[in-house]
Amino acid sequence: MLPWIFSRKGASGFSWASTADHVTAGISAAGLTAIVTGASSGIGAETARVLAARGAHVVMAARNLAAAETVRQAVLADTPGASLELMELDLSSLASVRKFAADFAARGLPLNILVNNAGVMATPFSLSKDGIEMQFATNHVGHFLLTHLLLETMKKTSHESNVEGRIVNVSSEGHRFAYKEGIRFAKLNDEEEYSTIAAYGQSKLANILHANELARRFKEEGVNITANSLHPGSIITNLLRHHSIIDVLHRTLGKLVLKNARQGAATQCYVALHPDAKGVSGKYWSDSNLYEPSDKAKDAELGKKLWDYTLDLVA
């Protein structure tokens, strides 16, 4: 019964079981430049591999450059003609994000695709170097600032090449478990009321709201860039390492029902490259198909408030 459910195809022709290779088969990304955050492991590494295999020049943005280099060498061994480079990025540090953006600008490269993939999950309470709750800082604020700093390059690239730019925010179905008010603007750093799962949900809700607000602004400006968010699926990764018992179950019994990295990277590769995703913006995806997020995630006023709030945080 389970294999049939997982292989049942949606409107796109793909399913839970589809891999990143499968959803991008026959698609050329030649001439495109992509940035993938968190490209040193898991679905980030797989996304970088597939985009490079399809012909894109991929900038692997990672905190752990040694691990990213191991991934890069493995991709080159598998696809000798692949074009990948490493750039250091710690999304929990606004200074690191600014340095990355400045270094990328200095390279003079175009930018067609931005995959905001990196993240942390259900971590114990801590503050970033900038005094922001760590999950919110890493999963949302860092990616917000990164996107903000790269937007002019993306707009210039899409205008000069007449090729649609695509921004992909990797969210999660965990966004449904955010705090009841959605985003705790007044209590973001409140340790006493901190919940590892609700704080994770809050950061993932922010990913969706960010993509939706970007989409709204792009439409208003007439910019040829789309912004979407997605749930990659429940994946066998190291994100639950802070919860030892859950992590053990996740890595053992989870193998029966959880996606591997090749399946987990499918939706973001689909949204980043597939022709059928062209012109689709401000939407939420799962299993390479359109999916309905929570009501909070569709709250445009909350999205605008979050935009202004985050701008103040990074100012």
Side-chain angles (χ1 to χ4, degrees):
M1 183 69 175
L2 285 176
W4 176 79
I5 293 174
F6 292 154
S7 62
R8 186 171 56 183
K9 296 177 180 178
S12 69
F14 300 111
S15 70
W16 178 98
S18 298
T19 65
D21 281 319
H22 182 199
V23 303
T24 60
I27 298 173
S28 173
L32 303 182
T33 299
I35 292 175
V36 181
T37 69
S40 61
S41 64
I43 61 175
E46 176 65 4
T47 299
R49 181 191 73 81
V50 171
L51 294 182
R54 298 293 175 255
H57 173 68
V58 179
V59 176
M60 301 172 64
R63 184 175 56 180
N64 186 337
L65 291 183
E69 176 60 17
T70 298
V71 171
R72 191 178 79 90
Q73 291 299 330
V75 174
L76 291 174
D78 185 59
T79 310
S83 177
L84 307 100
E85 64 174 295
L86 311 182
M87 289 183 66
E88 187 173 9
L89 174 63
D90 179 356
L91 284 157
S92 71
S93 164
L94 297 181
S96 177
V97 174
R98 290 191 175 96
K99 184 178 186 305
F100 176 94
D103 290 347
F104 182 81
R107 296 275 287 106
L109 293 171
L111 182 58
N112 306 91
I113 299 167
L114 174 61
V115 182
N116 289 321
N117 162 82
V120 294
M121 179 180 183
T123 59
F125 181 84
S126 65
L127 298 179
S128 70
K129 296 175 184 176
D130 304 286
I132 304 167
E133 188 276 307
M134 187 59 78
Q135 294 194 78
F136 197 76
T138 305
N139 297 350
H140 169 62
V141 179
H143 279 127
F144 178 97
L145 178 60
L146 178 68
T147 304
H148 188 70
L149 295 175
L150 295 173
L151 269 184
E152 287 309 310
T153 299
M154 290 200 75
K155 289 177 180 179
K156 183 174 184 286
T157 301
S158 65
H159 177 72
E160 292 181 351
S161 66
N162 200 31
V163 174
E164 178 183 88
R166 299 190 185 185
I167 297 172
V168 183
N169 280 2
V170 179
S171 180
S172 166
E173 277 294 271
H175 82 275
R176 300 180 193 276
F177 302 105
Y179 297 108
K180 64 179 181 180
E181 59 267 54
I183 307 294
R184 285 192 155 182
F185 296 106
K187 297 182 178 181
L188 187 66
N189 293 343
D190 190 333
E191 185 173 2
E192 289 187 5
E193 295 188 26
Y194 179 76
S195 161
T196 58
I197 299 301
Y200 174 71
Q202 173 180 244
S203 70
K204 295 288 100 180
L205 172 62
N207 292 151
I208 302 175
L209 293 170
H210 177 217
N212 291 352
E213 180 62 10
L214 279 169
R216 185 189 70 79
R217 288 168 179 260
F218 292 154
K219 182 178 180 180
E220 194 175 78
E221 297 172 23
V223 175
N224 189 24
I225 302 174
T226 62
N228 289 281
S229 56
L230 61 90
H231 169 57
S234 297
I235 304 157
I236 302 172
T237 70
N238 63 356
L239 284 178
L240 283 168
R241 61 187 179 277
H242 297 287
H243 297 260
S244 56
I245 295 176
I246 298 175
D247 189 38
V248 170
L249 294 173
H250 174 253
R251 291 177 179 279
T252 53
L253 298 178
K255 290 182 179 179
L256 299 174
V257 294
L258 300 182
K259 292 183 178 183
N260 57 40
R262 296 199 168 197
Q263 294 167 324
T267 304
Q268 55 209 66
C269 287
Y270 179 91
V271 178
L273 280 187
H274 204 282
D276 288 352
K278 183 177 181 181
V280 181
S281 194
K283 299 297 183 181
Y284 180 67
W285 302 72
S286 181
D287 297 337
S288 303
N289 284 277
L290 291 172
Y291 201 66
E292 278 296 305
S294 69
D295 288 340
K296 284 284 186 188
K298 294 182 284 188
D299 186 336
E301 290 307 311
L302 181 60
K304 292 175 185 177
K305 184 177 180 179
L306 176 65
W307 182 281
D308 292 338
Y309 177 81
T310 312
L311 271 182
D312 286 341
L313 278 182
V314 303

